[in-house]
Amino acid sequence: MRTSNWILTAALLVSIGTAAQQATDSQAPTQSPATAAAQTADPSQQAAPAPDAQQPAATASQPGQTSAQSAPVQTMAPPPALPAPTTMDQVVNLFIEREHGLIKALSNRTPVVETYLQNLTADPQLGPVPSEDHYFLGRLDMGENIDRKDYLKEQERSMQQRLLGGFQKLYKVQYQPMGFSWMVYADRTDFDREHYDFRYVRREFLGDVRCLVFDVTPKAKSGRGRFLGRVWVEDQGFNIVRLNGTYYPAPRNSYFFHMDSWRLNLIPGYWVPSFIYSEEGDFSAGVKSKVAFKAQTRIWGYDLKKGGKDDELTNIRVDSVQDSSATAQDASPLQAERVWQQQAEDNVVERLTSAGLLAPEGDVDRILQTVVNNLEVTNNIDLPRPVRTRVLLTAPLETFSVGNTIVISRGLVDVLPDEASLAAVLSHELAHIVLGHNLGSKYAFNDRMLFSDDATYQNLGFKHIPEEETAADKKAVEFLKNSPYAQKLDTVGLFLKALQQRALSLNALLTTHLGNPLAEAGQVSRLSALSTQGPALDNNKLDQIAALPLGGRVKVNPWDDKAEMVKTAPVAITSARDKMPFEVTPFFPRLSRYGGNAPTAAPTTAANGAQNPGN
Ligand SMILES: [Zn+2]
């Protein structure tokens, strides 16, 4: 349960990079304080999707805001309090017990798991850069053993096939081993003293949470594929909050890659596996290994199918019913048509939300809505039904719209450099709405919504024909030129150029699942009229930030899927390698305890070295 839903944080999408270069958004009629979000290019700060401890405990949730303060979380009771340990040996016993408790507590969950992987190649100027990419989305059955025997082979091709085996079909429900999720737990079956040695290393803060750090090594002859690495154990409930390491020993001609796995305290008493970063590859001179990649795995949707969601969906339904009955008259044919379309739109939004693909209405939507408003007001757009926005929880860069709802993916919000570029991608969808391209209403029949979650991508699609795409781009540019963003379209041009530069190597990131792609066959097509706008792309210009790394803007609560803007402190970019446009970076969430009962207001610079990404 998060506490920050009612605070309009940050302003996103101000120019980033060096803090000094922010444009002031004074002429934009935004309500959002377009100040704070100077972005960092420091992966450790940027990827930080931890709940906010600094927020005051829930006080005034805003009216009209769905569920800022929802009911007590779930049916999962916190584990009983344990006697305080007096020796490190007792601490080991406690976290072993807690680990087994977590495995049991989550065993009926089937969260969504997404892995986005970039293969790397060395660029003399930029260092390791993506050469190609892969994307996997599925459901993880936490009750199943995650089988580590399905290791990868040395050759990259077979590595990916084996590792990601069964993952070819997007959004296929997975009840099979998934390599990147191995480190959800250290060892699902044998995490005990018979199989492992535990050695206390030191105390260390991770965010607001004081931890005890232990090295974990498999005992001799305890079998293959045992966890080898380090665990961080918080010092109140003695739950593991972070695991970092690999598996050992590997069979001949095979190996296990390294992972850094983070948990968040999203429900009382439990720290829930949330982010796993994996990386392999050594670009030092003389190294011959061909395998080089970095990958982010995100897990969310723990609460799907249970609790929480229903209320919110009911609220949306109630709203739309009220809208249509307010006239207290029979509907005219045109009104009936509109209500019918609204119903189709609501059905789709509800279906995507219950499949764990859309975030519930929230924080980020208010920022998106503000930008859409700016476009509407300055273009005198007056639609019979209001335009709404929602966040697709996945990484691939896409927008689409259904009825009057504009959907933008988390990954796209992440990489956009500023508010003007956000306005640009939203304006394309607004144009579809204004031009009447979204009037299809086949989804108003509820039976069309009756398919399983894994078939969502097959059954829903909101792609437009090329003529509509061209018309929407044309209209979008008109909107932008009348808007507060008219003078800032250079950054849109730069973004499109950066996207073009990486388009061939980021095929998976550019493969859309529900809407039209921004680029096809390595050629950026979206808003091409703006692609020549602005200065030339220049990696050496440190104040020129054309696109951001993934993970820097939107953080998702893995338990309830709510999305909010990340708050990061500006970090100066000191070399072209700091820019990392569209790239994957390590996670470094700021850990805090559930409900924020941590020491008050510990800022990021808390007095300890744990914030350094030096792992
Ligand atoms: Zn379109």
Side-chain angles (χ1 to χ4, degrees):
M1 161 65 237
R2 291 136 15 155
T3 53
S4 52
N5 215 17
W6 56 91
I7 293 187
L8 182 55
T9 45
L12 103 130
L13 301 179
V14 181
S15 308
I16 39 96
T18 49
Q21 86 164 116
Q22 293 180 18
T24 50
D25 264 359
S26 51
Q27 72 262 56
T30 59
Q31 307 139 328
S32 59
T35 47
Q39 281 290 331
T40 88
D42 177 345
S44 68
Q45 302 298 336
Q46 207 150 27
D52 288 283
Q54 300 102 309
Q55 301 289 356
T59 47
S61 58
Q62 288 179 353
Q65 177 68 21
T66 44
S67 81
Q69 189 65 308
S70 56
V73 193
Q74 268 301 307
T75 50
M76 267 175 72
L82 298 165
T86 52
T87 66
M88 282 303 164
D89 244 23
Q90 289 172 353
V91 170
V92 170
N93 291 342
L94 286 175
F95 74 72
I96 288 175
E97 188 184 328
R98 278 292 152 88
E99 186 72 358
H100 290 288
L102 179 73
I103 292 169
K104 187 150 172 269
L106 295 180
S107 62
N108 63 344
R109 305 278 158 176
T110 55
V112 178
V113 57
E114 176 194 64
T115 295
Y116 177 60
L117 179 151
Q118 293 180 334
N119 287 115
L120 303 175
T121 186
D123 178 279
Q125 184 197 10
L126 299 176
V129 295
S131 55
E132 60 169 348
D133 63 347
H134 299 273
Y135 181 71
F136 316 96
L137 184 64
R139 294 288 283 273
L140 177 64
D141 186 339
M142 303 293 280
E144 292 283 310
N145 203 344
I146 296 161
D147 186 358
R148 243 168 251 131
K149 296 186 185 88
D150 194 21
Y151 358 79
L152 30 153
K153 287 286 182 198
E154 187 77 52
Q155 300 84 358
E156 195 181 312
R157 171 166 303 209
S158 89
M159 157 188 128
Q160 302 208 334
Q161 277 165 359
R162 297 188 53 129
L163 208 177
L164 313 164
F167 245 128
Q168 292 85 347
K169 265 182 79 181
L170 278 169
Y171 214 66
K172 181 171 164 40
V173 174
Q174 276 303 320
Y175 296 103
Q176 302 211 357
M178 298 194 292
F180 288 101
S181 312
W182 284 339
M183 213 170 277
V184 161
Y185 304 121
D187 186 325
R188 201 173 191 293
T189 51
D190 298 312
F191 192 63
D192 52 36
R193 288 182 179 276
E194 284 96 87
H195 294 82
Y196 291 96
D197 290 320
F198 299 90
R199 189 178 66 82
Y200 170 72
V201 182
R202 63 167 179 266
R203 283 174 204 277
E204 185 177 307
F205 269 92
L206 292 179
D208 299 330
V209 177
R210 191 169 59 181
C211 295
L212 304 166
V213 185
F214 290 84
D215 278 340
V216 181
T217 46
K219 285 191 191 291
K221 306 216 168 88
S222 63
R224 276 181 180 166
R226 295 293 179 198
F227 177 75
L228 171 68
R230 182 164 281 195
V231 296
W232 282 253
V233 178
E234 48 89 15
D235 71 351
Q236 289 180 17
F238 302 97
N239 296 285
I240 295 176
V241 302
R242 181 188 183 190
L243 307 107
N244 179 305
T246 187
Y247 292 98
Y248 179 86
R252 221 151 56 89
N253 299 325
S254 305
Y255 73 98
F256 294 113
F257 48 72
H258 294 82
M259 292 186 231
D260 188 27
S261 175
W262 293 81
R263 298 175 177 176
L264 302 180
N265 193 189
L266 303 174
I267 50 172
Y270 293 98
W271 288 73
V272 181
S274 302
F275 309 103
I276 303 171
Y277 177 72
S278 335
E279 179 184 290
E280 289 300 324
D282 184 346
F283 286 94
S284 323
V287 173
K288 291 229 175 81
S289 169
K290 285 187 206 127
V291 178
F293 71 83
K294 46 188 181 176
Q296 283 186 343
T297 297
R298 293 160 191 268
I299 305 169
W300 70 82
Y302 279 98
D303 203 21
L304 287 176
K305 285 190 240 168
K306 289 168 190 151
K309 298 280 185 293
D310 292 342
D311 298 339
E312 263 168 285
L313 293 167
T314 312
N315 288 344
I316 293 169
R317 280 312 180 82
V318 170
D319 288 348
S320 64
V321 170
Q322 282 171 347
D323 282 350
S324 55
S325 61
T327 57
Q329 289 167 1
D330 292 332
S332 71
L334 180 57
Q335 283 167 330
E337 176 65 24
R338 284 181 182 153
V339 173
W340 186 244
Q341 283 159 9
Q342 171 94 54
Q343 193 172 324
E345 180 181 333
D346 289 348
N347 277 349
V348 168
V349 167
E350 175 186 321
R351 192 67 191 84
L352 288 171
T353 308
S354 65
L357 293 173
L358 275 194
E361 227 176 332
D363 204 26
V364 181
D365 295 319
R366 261 173 298 156
I367 290 162
L368 302 177
Q369 211 95 49
T370 301
V371 174
V372 171
N373 252 2
N374 291 343
L375 292 165
E376 287 186 296
V377 168
T378 48
N379 284 281
N380 300 313
I381 296 168
D382 190 13
L383 295 162
R385 292 192 291 122
V387 174
R388 304 183 297 184
T389 58
R390 293 293 281 270
V391 178
L392 190 70
L393 291 165
T394 48
L397 312 184
E398 70 179 304
T399 61
F400 63 91
S401 46
V402 47
N404 278 23
T405 298
I406 296 175
V407 177
I408 180 169
S409 67
R410 183 200 83 225
L412 184 52
V413 178
D414 275 349
V415 299
L416 290 169
D418 66 351
E419 191 169 320
S421 51
L422 176 63
V425 295
L426 294 174
S427 69
H428 174 92
E429 299 303 334
L430 183 63
H432 279 308
I433 293 170
V434 169
L435 294 170
H437 293 169
N438 290 352
L439 294 183
S441 55
K442 63 177 173 172
Y443 300 121
F445 290 105
N446 287 294
D447 64 291
R448 295 210 163 106
M449 295 290 117
L450 297 178
F451 44 80
S452 64
D453 286 355
D454 57 314
T456 302
Y457 279 156
Q458 281 84 52
N459 282 272
L460 296 178
F462 309 102
K463 292 196 164 80
H464 290 283
I465 56 174
E467 290 77 7
E468 289 179 347
E469 283 301 285
T470 309
D473 271 349
K474 186 158 171 273
K475 195 79 183 165
V477 173
E478 274 174 48
F479 289 163
L480 290 167
K481 297 213 157 141
N482 291 330
S483 79
Y485 309 106
Q487 304 309 312
K488 300 173 189 163
L489 298 181
D490 281 6
T491 56
V492 183
L494 271 173
F495 174 76
L496 294 169
K497 287 171 206 169
L499 190 61
Q500 182 60 58
Q501 191 178 62
R502 292 274 168 101
L504 269 177
S505 51
L506 299 177
N507 190 46
L509 195 63
L510 287 165
T511 299
T512 57
H513 305 295
L514 295 165
N516 290 85
L518 303 182
E520 271 175 297
Q523 188 62 41
V524 176
S525 48
R526 181 69 51 91
L527 295 168
S528 54
L530 297 177
S531 64
T532 52
Q533 186 98 22
L537 198 62
D538 184 352
N539 289 323
N540 286 320
K541 283 190 74 173
L542 298 186
D543 62 347
Q544 187 191 84
I545 304 300
L548 306 187
L550 287 162
R553 295 240 191 247
V554 180
K555 62 182 176 184
V556 173
N557 180 312
W559 196 264
D560 61 18
D561 296 354
K562 285 182 189 158
E564 64 179 292
M565 301 308 295
V566 172
K567 278 154 277 177
T568 48
V571 174
I573 284 182
T574 56
S575 85
R577 294 187 182 198
D578 282 347
K579 292 187 182 180
M580 303 184 290
F582 308 107
E583 290 180 29
V584 162
T585 62
F587 292 110
F588 221 88
R590 180 176 182 80
L591 299 190
S592 59
R593 294 186 182 281
Y594 177 81
N597 61 343
T600 48
T604 316
T605 47
N608 55 77
Q611 287 297 324
N612 291 325
N615 47 331

